[in-house]
């Protein structure tokens, strides 16, 4: 049989998972190529620990190549254009032809979308911003700490709330809590609205119990760097001493310029098969748009990128060599770190009708431990990684969590 090429764009959560699964499923006559512009893979969930001093920058990243199984070809280049009709991708100065394509290019951060954000807010969604926030918090003398979400959609629905909870715990640890306020501003009507009012109320209660003020439906329109104030669309202003910000997100340029994108730049896909409207072309993870029964999009989260990657690999293997394909069932989960070595855990069926069916497990030490083991399953070396995955599978069985791990 003639060998074919499965090309994966992006070496993040979805791309690494898809590349590895394809390599395991496809015969040696077929090539699996992963195209990624960065040398290092960043484990984003650890940014939340890093921003409060619980991790150092060198602990939260690994070489992309170390995460790929032998036989996956890693090409380090910037994707410039995607032509799904001709089945060709331009990256750097080369053209790559493919038989099947997986677009896993994620979402791009666009701090320039909010005047005054860059240089004033600590963008804890990237490594530099989270590192700078940690340094500012370390030398903080107390005051008003603001977590501000500027726009929707953003990655990881829980992240800003976890950030606020972890900052609050860090201020207590530093003996600064009495002299400090923690305040969240968000465009959302409640925390994690995709998960419904009950879960939103539970997260709001976790914030309220710790004296964290939540201002829903209140995104800042700009930031006045000199006055150190958030400025809102109605002209109101809110002061901050330390600002952790979530910048606007957008689809990567190569995707926005391609015929795969909708008018907002994201890639609409079939919710079950992750197929785009072009033959043999799939998209997974943050770059996709999947509307849910409650009218909100499937959240941008690594857990979905991971599960979707496994489905797409099976689909491509079936198209190359025959056999059964797979479909994505819409289940997902996330940890909500509370600080002090405790976490809550949300999980459920995001494809349920008439609305996603998500529940929040009671906070405890074991959920936090689960997240630490999850981190090791991505960042640990050889044996540590294997053991961490086995521990996660065992934990999922014991707790009854339905998770693709
Ligand atoms: C602070 C924070 C905490 C988070 N916590 C969680 C969590 O606890 N659980 C969870 O499920 N999710 C979490 N997430 C979200 C998670 O990181 C993303 O949803 C996930 O990484 C999406 O995977 P992806 O493969 O779609 O994109 P990514 O992992 O972002 O990968 C995209 C890759 O494409 C590359 N790329 C982009 N453009 C180009 C180009 N033109 N050429 C070449 N390469 C390119 C990028 O360098 C990147 O490596 C968190 C995110 C943040 C910021």
């Amino acid at each position: 049989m003639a060998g074919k090429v499965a090309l994966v764009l992006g070496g993040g959560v979805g791309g690494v998972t898809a590349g590895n699964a394809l390599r395991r499923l496809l015969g040696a006559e077929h090539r699996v190529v992963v195209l990624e512009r960065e040398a290092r893979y960043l484990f984003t969930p650890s940014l939340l620990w890093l921003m409060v001093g619980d991790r150092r920058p060198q602990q939260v990243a690994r070489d992309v190549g170390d995460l790929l199984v032998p036989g996956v070809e890693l090409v380090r280049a910037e994707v410039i254009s995607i032509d799904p009709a001709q089945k060709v991708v331009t990256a750097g100065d080369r053209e790559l032809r493919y038989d099947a394509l997986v677009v896993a290019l994620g979402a791009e951060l666009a701090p320039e979308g909010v005047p005054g954000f860059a240089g004033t807010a600590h963008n804890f969604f990237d490594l530099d911003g989270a590192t700078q926030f940690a340094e500012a918090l370390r030398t903080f003398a107390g005051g008003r700490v603001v977590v501000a979400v500027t726009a929707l959609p953003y990655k990881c629905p829980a992240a800003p709330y976890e950030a606020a909870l972890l900052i609050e715990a860090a201020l207590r640890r530093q003996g600064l809590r009495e002299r400090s306020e923690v305040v969240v501003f968000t465009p959302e009507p409640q925390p994690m609205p995709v998960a419904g009012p009950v879960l939103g109320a539970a997260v709001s209660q976790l914030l309220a119990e710790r004296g964290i003020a939540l201002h829903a439906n209140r995104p800042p329109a700009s930031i006045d760097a000199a006055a150190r104030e958030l400025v809102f669309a109605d002209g109101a202003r809110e002061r901050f001493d330390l600002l952790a910000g979530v910048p606007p997100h957008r689809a990567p340029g190569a995707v926005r310029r391609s015929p795969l994108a909708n008018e907002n730049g994201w890639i609409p896909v079939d919710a079950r098969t992750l197929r785009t409207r072009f033959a043999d072309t799939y998209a997974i993870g943050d770059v996709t748009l999947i509307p849910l029964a409650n009218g909100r999009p499937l959240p941008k989260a690594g857990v979905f990128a991971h599960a979707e990657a496994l489905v797409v690999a099976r689909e491509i293997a079936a198209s190359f060599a025959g056999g059964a394909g797979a479909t994505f069932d819409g289940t997902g989960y996330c940890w909500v770190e509370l600080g002090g070595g405790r976490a809550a855990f949300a999980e459920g069926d995001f494809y349920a009708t008439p609305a996603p069916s998500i529940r929040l497990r009671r906070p405890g030490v074991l959920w936090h431990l689960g997240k630490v083991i999850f981190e090791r399953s991505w960042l640990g070396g050889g044996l540590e990684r294997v053991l961490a995955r086995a521990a996660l599978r065992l934990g999922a069985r014991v707790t009854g969590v339905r998770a693709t791990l």
Side-chain angles (χ1 to χ4, degrees):
M1 189 196 300
K4 295 187 174 181
V5 178
L7 178 60
V8 180
L9 306 185
V13 177
V16 162
T17 309
N20 288 343
L22 280 163
R23 189 62 285 163
R24 291 192 183 104
L25 291 167
L26 294 175
E29 70 277 20
H30 302 300
R31 291 176 59 205
V32 178
V33 182
V34 171
L35 223 157
E36 166 60 52
R37 70 176 165 206
E38 304 291 337
R40 301 276 283 168
Y41 162 84
L42 175 66
F43 186 71
T44 52
S46 299
L47 290 177
L48 295 163
W49 286 324
L50 187 144
M51 74 187 289
V52 294
D54 291 342
R55 295 288 184 281
R56 293 186 306 281
Q58 59 274 28
Q59 291 177 302
V60 302
R62 281 192 69 169
D63 285 352
V64 179
D66 283 353
L67 293 169
L68 295 168
V69 299
V72 176
E73 300 168 44
L74 176 61
V75 176
R76 177 104 188 271
E78 165 106 20
V79 176
I80 309 295
S81 69
I82 306 166
D83 182 344
Q86 299 303 319
K87 294 191 174 174
V88 60
V89 165
T90 310
D93 57 4
R94 56 211 284 189
E95 285 197 338
L96 291 103
R97 302 198 165 269
Y98 59 82
D99 298 285
L101 182 71
V102 182
V103 184
L105 290 171
E108 203 168 81
L109 303 177
E112 65 281 6
V114 175
F117 186 102
T120 311
H122 296 286
N123 169 11
F124 66 98
F125 270 39
D126 78 17
L127 185 58
D128 286 348
T131 307
Q132 283 154 14
F133 183 89
E135 183 53 23
L137 187 64
R138 198 178 61 78
T139 54
F140 194 51
R144 196 166 201 236
V145 187
V146 167
V147 178
V149 181
T150 56
L152 302 175
Y154 64 88
K155 304 184 220 191
C156 189
Y161 307 104
E162 277 186 285
L165 289 159
L166 288 169
I167 290 167
E168 195 274 338
L171 290 170
R172 266 188 283 133
R173 194 168 64 197
Q174 291 173 225
L176 296 172
R177 187 64 184 99
E178 299 297 308
R179 274 179 279 156
S180 303
E181 265 182 274
V182 183
V183 188
V184 179
F185 291 92
T186 176
E188 298 176 309
Q190 59 158 79
M192 303 159 75
V194 68
V198 174
L199 193 130
V203 175
S204 298
Q205 193 185 334
L206 290 172
L207 297 171
E209 282 165 1
R210 289 157 179 79
I212 299 170
L214 171 64
H215 297 272
N217 296 313
R218 203 84 178 119
S222 64
I223 295 164
D224 182 336
R228 300 190 72 71
E229 288 174 342
L230 303 182
V231 184
F232 297 88
D234 60 8
R237 289 171 167 257
E238 289 277 354
R239 185 183 63 74
F240 60 84
D241 295 303
L242 192 53
L243 178 59
V246 179
H249 288 39
R250 64 176 177 219
V255 170
R256 281 183 277 129
R257 291 188 297 271
S258 83
L260 293 165
N262 70 4
E263 62 285 2
N264 296 319
W266 308 107
I267 306 180
V269 289
D270 181 277
R272 300 281 177 190
T273 63
L274 291 314
R275 288 173 189 272
T276 68
R277 64 190 183 88
F278 289 89
D280 304 311
T281 306
Y282 301 80
I284 59 173
D286 289 358
V287 78
T288 63
L289 176 73
I290 301 179
L292 302 177
N294 63 358
R296 295 184 182 277
L298 183 72
K300 299 195 181 304
V303 59
F304 297 123
H306 182 270
E308 292 165 0
L310 297 177
V311 167
V312 162
R314 291 264 299 276
E315 285 282 283
I316 292 172
S319 79
F320 279 14
T327 53
F328 175 47
D329 67 2
T331 56
Y333 57 91
C334 87
W335 282 271
V336 183
E337 280 289 301
L338 305 178
R342 294 171 76 241
F345 187 79
E347 55 156 344
D349 178 0
F350 285 77
Y351 284 179
T353 53
S357 159
I358 316 298
R359 68 169 173 156
L360 191 70
R361 301 287 196 101
R362 201 145 42 96
V365 176
L366 285 179
W367 294 122
H368 168 74
L369 192 63
K371 186 160 181 180
V372 173
I373 296 173
F374 183 63
E375 180 192 49
R376 299 326 303 160
S377 77
W378 274 92
L379 295 178
L383 182 62
E384 187 185 10
R385 232 155 99 198
V386 173
L387 291 174
R389 289 203 179 147
L392 285 174
R393 283 195 197 101
L394 181 67
R397 254 214 308 275
V398 170
T399 53
V401 167
R402 271 184 73 200
T404 317
L405 296 164

